[in-house]
Amino acid sequence: MLIFAGKLLLYIIYTTTTTIAQPKFISHYCEKAANYTVNSTYQRNLDTNLATLPTTNSGFGFYNLSTGQANDTVNSVALCRGDVEPDSCRSCLNDSIVNLRQLCPIQKEAIGYYDTCLLKYSNVEILGTTGIKFYVFFPGSETTTDVDRFYGDLRPLMDGLRGNASSGGPLRKFASGSTDGPRFTTIYALVQCTPDLSDRQCSDCLENAANEFANRYSGSVRGRTLVPMCNFRYDTNRFFSERNSVIPPPPTIQLPPPPLSPPPLPGCS
């Protein structure tokens, strides 16, 4: 009987006892340009990396880890949607690890999207990069009869959320909110970036994702674009938790200037 120890054993047990119950990704991709061989150094590094990744939570549902050296380096990133509770976030990440290894059994690079989280691992650098190989679009089947008015209401909401998310700091770049739409509708929207991006990188990523969607699906009353480093979604039905929605700060109160000091009395110095 062979005896294994540490996190690697836990990972192997987990992957072999939960293969049936894994929910399907809403989208995934296996990069076929670079593969590894079974029992190689890269596979051992990947096993170790993904077993350890769930312990690297930033506190806001962002995980990242690098394992190994040179050509056998494994980089991984996971991000939970900003309104997801911690337990649901961990569960989504665990499902992602198991499912992605099954779907991409020998690929050095892979990405999987669930509704509430994403996982990507690669043999090349991930953090701080903004190169996009492909977009994942989810347009709605319903279209608005007044495109100009709908987007006239949606655009300021998206611009505001993009600014809030981009300036969120190095731990969390997420914003959600709503606005009144045409014909007594409410438009809900959410944007998020991986927090390793700079303010400008985040803003540009979200703007490009929104423009790519609009160019293809103009008039859709709901839409979503996913890329590894940012994503956005809007809908006329609420799809996120209001508890974590961004609340605009109160207006700044302009205080009157202090009164001028009275002039000194004659003879006083």
Side-chain angles (χ1 to χ4, degrees):
M1 176 179 178
L2 297 177
I3 299 176
F4 298 90
K7 295 176 181 175
L8 183 57
L9 171 62
L10 295 177
Y11 177 75
I12 293 173
I13 292 175
Y14 187 82
T15 57
T16 57
T17 57
T18 58
T19 56
I20 297 176
Q22 300 311 308
K24 292 182 178 180
F25 287 122
I26 60 174
S27 180
H28 78 279
Y29 173 74
C30 307
E31 175 56 71
K32 295 179 173 57
N35 298 332
Y36 61 84
T37 56
V38 177
N39 296 325
S40 64
T41 300
Y42 189 89
Q43 180 180 357
R44 291 193 293 272
N45 287 342
L46 181 59
D47 292 340
T48 301
N49 183 288
L50 294 181
T52 309
L53 183 64
T55 69
T56 66
N57 189 357
S58 66
F60 294 93
F62 178 59
Y63 306 76
N64 71 91
L65 185 64
S66 180
T67 304
Q69 297 178 342
N71 294 332
D72 293 315
T73 300
V74 177
N75 302 294
S76 63
V77 162
L79 179 68
C80 288
R81 207 173 70 190
D83 63 323
V84 174
E85 296 290 343
D87 288 346
S88 297
C89 177
R90 285 190 293 270
S91 177
C92 190
L93 174 56
N94 288 333
D95 287 341
S96 299
I97 291 171
V98 175
N99 207 8
L100 201 54
R101 294 299 300 277
Q102 293 173 0
L103 294 169
C104 308
I106 60 171
Q107 281 75 36
K108 289 187 175 182
E109 180 175 322
I111 184 167
Y113 296 100
Y114 278 121
D115 184 53
T116 54
C117 73
L118 70 87
L119 168 67
K120 179 179 180 179
Y121 55 81
S122 177
N123 60 322
V124 298
E125 186 63 47
I126 299 177
L127 294 181
T129 60
T130 56
I132 298 174
K133 291 185 177 180
F134 63 94
Y135 295 84
V136 179
F137 301 108
F138 291 93
S141 58
E142 182 182 354
T143 57
T144 179
T145 57
D146 191 343
V147 175
D148 290 341
R149 184 176 175 188
F150 185 86
Y151 282 101
D153 294 327
L154 174 62
R155 191 171 295 108
L157 172 63
M158 294 292 289
D159 288 344
L161 294 178
R162 186 176 75 248
N164 286 333
S166 299
S167 60
L171 295 178
R172 188 171 187 259
K173 284 182 165 60
F174 168 83
S176 60
S178 61
T179 190
D180 293 334
R183 298 191 176 184
F184 306 104
T185 61
T186 301
I187 305 174
Y188 301 89
L190 174 155
V191 301
Q192 186 171 18
C193 298
T194 55
D196 57 291
L197 299 186
S198 68
D199 294 6
R200 174 58 65 85
Q201 286 176 322
C202 177
S203 181
D204 289 348
C205 184
L206 290 171
E207 186 172 16
N208 290 339
N211 289 339
E212 290 289 337
F213 182 90
N215 290 338
R216 291 168 170 79
Y217 307 104
S218 179
S220 177
V221 299
R222 58 186 54 87
R224 186 177 191 180
T225 300
L226 301 173
V227 294
M229 65 290 299
C230 76
N231 65 85
F232 83 89
R233 182 178 177 182
Y234 71 90
D235 203 318
T236 52
N237 297 311
R238 184 163 64 88
F239 58 91
F240 54 79
S241 171
E242 293 282 5
R243 184 180 63 84
N244 286 316
S245 295
V246 172
I247 301 175
T252 302
I253 300 176
Q254 297 291 336
L255 298 176
L260 298 175
S261 301
L265 296 175
C268 296
S269 59

